[in-house]
Amino acid sequence: VQFVESGGGSVQPGGSLKLSCTASTTIFSIAAAGWYRQAPGKERELLASISRLGSTNYAESVKGRFTISRDRARTAVYLQMNSLKPDDTAIYYCNAGSSGEVLRRMDFESWGQGTQVTVSS
């Protein structure tokens, strides 16, 4: 499966962005999906996930600011990011797996190119 992330950019602190992720297969119709980010010099981290049934979970660092969603056709997954902070600067990735545990373990064969988010004044 190949993932394509888009929607990143440069914004000022307090700004918003909406990221999109599409897949080369219909994986979002059968799997849980997650958004991740990796900042320079830091490990990749899971930010938000959405299960097959639509339940969501968030890392404490983004809870209340970021919202993960999926389109009704289950062809894309989104990450609405509000109240952005400089610490949110990173490359953002998406992926999918059979369960939340798979998402947490990041047990994936491949990753997309990601989309760069830069938050600065």
Side-chain angles (χ1 to χ4, degrees):
V1 181
Q2 293 181 329
F3 297 96
V4 178
E5 302 90 350
S6 62
S10 295
V11 296
Q12 294 186 337
S16 299
L17 284 172
K18 185 173 184 178
L19 306 183
S20 300
C21 173
T22 57
S24 59
T25 71
T26 57
I27 193 168
F28 292 140
S29 66
I30 59 172
W35 278 98
Y36 302 79
R37 70 184 177 193
Q38 186 165 20
K42 295 187 178 180
E43 293 186 352
R44 194 168 302 188
E45 60 174 332
L46 175 62
L47 300 176
S49 63
I50 184 166
S51 73
R52 289 191 303 115
L53 299 180
S55 61
T56 58
N57 283 284
Y58 298 92
E60 285 298 322
S61 59
V62 304
K63 194 173 292 184
R65 299 189 298 124
F66 291 10
T67 303
I68 188 170
S69 62
R70 186 173 51 206
D71 70 337
R72 298 184 75 172
R74 299 198 178 198
T75 59
V77 175
Y78 306 100
L79 187 68
Q80 176 67 46
M81 305 187 297
N82 299 327
S83 302
L84 284 162
K85 307 174 182 179
D87 284 349
D88 295 320
T89 296
I91 300 175
Y92 285 68
Y93 304 87
C94 67
N95 222 307
S98 58
S99 69
E101 181 59 26
V102 172
L103 297 181
R104 285 186 291 274
R105 291 201 315 260
M106 302 187 209
D107 188 14
F108 306 120
E109 291 185 355
S110 63
W111 293 87
Q113 293 296 309
T115 185
Q116 175 72 48
V117 171
T118 302
V119 185
S120 70
S121 54

